[in-house]
Amino acid sequence: MTDIKKGLAGVTVDETAVSKVNPETNSLLYRGYPVQELAATQPFEAVAYLLWNGELPDAAQLAALRQVERQHRALADDVRAAIDLLPTAAHPMDEVRTAVSVIGARETAGIANVMDAVGTPEENLERSIRLWAELPAVVAYGQRRRRGEELIEPRDDLDYAANFLWMTFGEEICTSTGAVAGPDPSTGSGSSAAGSGASASGGTPDPVVVDAFNRSMTLYAEHSFNASTFTARVIASTLSDLYSAVVGAIGALKGPLHGGANEAVLHVFTEIGSAENVGPWLDAALAEKRKIMGFGHRVYKRGDSRVPTMKAALDTLVAHYDRPDVAALYDALEAQFVERKGIYPNLDYPSGPAYDLMGFDTLTFTPLFVAARVTGWTAHIREQQASNALIRPLSAYVGPDERHVEGYIADAADVEAQERAEEAVG
């Protein structure tokens, strides 16, 4: 009998040098470095460099990467036009997926031979950097467009995390003009951003928010052969182009059992309302056998190693915005769920309320995941291309036995194919 591994659980399909979970320390390692150490000490640009190149950059290498990234921050006219064709009611993950398709079509235009679409290692590193650099503008513009607000141009005097926040919120995220307000307790929604386009004013994005956001980007950047990364590697294994692989990964990440979980967590928080409602809400949810998003992970057996770092970032935001009600709800739901089910939170559990406190709309949470994970995806795509084998698993057929269409008469070619010797396996 064929041993079926549903969901490929427990199946090792290839080697990778990009990341792993160390079972002895329960730490997620990027190229050998514990992610909590990277989140505490490194700007996101350095983490991206590490994932692509295998080592942390020195000062000159980091400066060179930042220079290239800042050259490609602006939202290209063709990408903006494509996004504007979509209804504002479209899910922002559809905006991001469309944007990457447009960027890819532009970047690979003129390649006449499909065999050349895969690109060289050098070309794909350049493509990876450009795509990573432009995605914050895509995500930021998507949120502003849904709010009826104007595009905010990037600033070249800010690092990646600070500029991302600037393009999303403008002067409202700057300490010189007043930090962005936390969510309205009565609605659970994030604060509103500036009502019109903003230009570089010299204001400094709130350092507390920048630090928390930078840490979240690092924590979301990579996680071995998760569903979206494996999707990207499958597509890359066909020798398709890097952009097609990323588009496929975005589709996989959209699902609530993967990237969409951080969005689902905020819906749960909104539904519960406050800490005192956790018990009755959880009683009903468990009785209905609902899946409680934000808890459990297939890889970790002692809890997601990224949670303490993201929870610490959430705690700083709770204190910064004076929102003890958020912490109370978070702690109450975690404590009661762990007590009843013995299942611990994953990264999506603290990141959802953290992004909400920063002012991001709930629908923007998963696109933020894309902006971070594109670094890991592209690192894996390049690794797949460097030692490629077409990923083509087998299946166990459970349909009807062979049967024939009444009246069909096999021709000579069919008969010959049925009777020829089986091909030798080289």
Side-chain angles (χ1 to χ4, degrees), residues 102 120 229 245 250 285 323 352:
V102 172
T120 67
T229 298
I250 292 170
R323 292 296 307 277

Side-chain angles (χ1 to χ4, degrees), residues 267-291:
H267 290 307
V268 167
F269 272 45
T270 302
E271 187 177 334
I272 295 173
S274 61
E276 58 266 25
N277 297 331
V278 166
W281 182 91
L282 193 55
D283 288 340
L286 294 177
E288 296 167 5
K289 301 187 182 302
R290 290 178 56 180
K291 184 172 182 63

Side-chain angles (χ1 to χ4, degrees), residues 67-392:
Q67 182 179 22
V68 175
E69 185 263 330
R70 293 176 191 200
Q71 292 172 353
H72 297 282
R73 284 178 170 178
L75 186 64
D77 291 342
D78 57 350
V79 177
R80 181 177 182 180
I83 293 174
D84 285 340
L85 289 174
L86 302 176
T88 55
H91 195 283
M93 285 292 282
D94 298 334
E95 292 177 343
V96 176
R97 185 188 64 219
T98 299
V100 174
S101 288
V102 172
I103 295 169
R106 182 214 311 139
E107 293 287 334
T108 59
I111 297 177
N113 188 338
V114 68
M115 295 300 295
D116 296 331
V118 64
T120 67
E122 295 76 19
E123 287 172 335
N124 281 323
L125 178 56
E126 293 172 358
R127 292 169 179 174
S128 300
I129 294 171
R130 291 196 298 268
L131 183 58
W132 164 66
E134 191 165 350
L135 274 174
V138 172
V139 176
Y141 178 60
Q143 172 158 312
R144 295 189 66 80
R145 187 178 79 106
R146 284 186 296 280
R147 293 181 173 191
E149 299 162 352
E150 296 297 322
L151 172 75
I152 293 180
E153 296 293 342
R155 284 170 52 180
D156 61 10
D157 62 322
L158 301 174
D159 66 11
Y160 172 92
N163 179 67
F164 201 145
L165 293 167
W166 166 259
M167 287 191 294
T168 307
F169 302 108
E171 292 183 356
E172 286 200 6
I173 202 67
C174 295
T175 53
S176 61
T177 58
V180 63
D184 183 340
S186 66
T187 64
S189 61
S191 64
S192 62
S196 60
S199 59
S201 64
T204 302
D206 191 321
V208 173
V209 183
V210 171
D211 181 68
F213 186 62
N214 183 81
R215 290 173 187 247
S216 76
M217 291 287 102
T218 294
L219 295 172
Y220 268 124
E222 162 58 12
H223 209 218
S224 191
F225 278 30
N226 57 84
S228 57
T229 298
F230 188 62
T231 299
R233 292 190 71 130
V234 170
I235 295 171
S237 80
T238 71
L239 299 186
S240 187
D241 64 278
L242 176 141
Y243 301 100
S244 294
V246 171
V247 168
I250 292 170
L253 192 69
K254 183 180 178 182
L257 295 185
H258 189 15
N262 58 7
E263 177 183 329
V265 167
L266 218 286
H267 290 307
V268 167
F269 272 45
T270 302
E271 187 177 334
I272 295 173
S274 61
E276 58 266 25
N277 297 331
V278 166
W281 182 91
L282 193 55
D283 288 340
L286 294 177
E288 296 167 5
K289 301 187 182 302
R290 290 178 56 180
K291 184 172 182 63
I292 312 301
M293 306 306 293
F295 290 88
H297 199 285
R298 182 179 288 185
V299 174
Y300 297 99
K301 304 305 180 187
R302 290 180 286 157
D304 189 332
S305 65
R306 300 166 295 178
V307 167
T309 302
M310 193 65 223
K311 176 57 163 58
L314 172 61
D315 289 342
T316 65
L317 294 169
V318 165
H320 187 60
Y321 293 127
D322 191 21
R323 292 296 307 277
D325 56 306
V326 173
L329 174 53
Y330 180 105
D331 292 340
L333 180 57
E334 177 186 7
Q336 293 198 38
F337 193 79
V338 170
E339 179 182 1
R340 299 192 198 192
K341 303 297 290 185
I343 301 174
Y344 291 86
N346 57 45
L347 176 59
D348 295 314
Y349 188 65
S351 70
Y355 286 147
D356 189 54
L357 285 172
M358 291 178 198
F360 288 104
D361 294 339
T362 304
L363 287 173
T364 306
F365 294 176
T366 313
L368 294 174
F369 195 157
V370 172
R373 186 57 61 86
V374 72
T375 56
W377 287 338
T378 49
H380 277 277
I381 291 166
R382 295 178 67 237
E383 184 178 64
Q384 179 69 38
Q385 292 166 339
S387 181
N388 189 52
L390 177 65
I391 299 174
R392 203 318 189 166

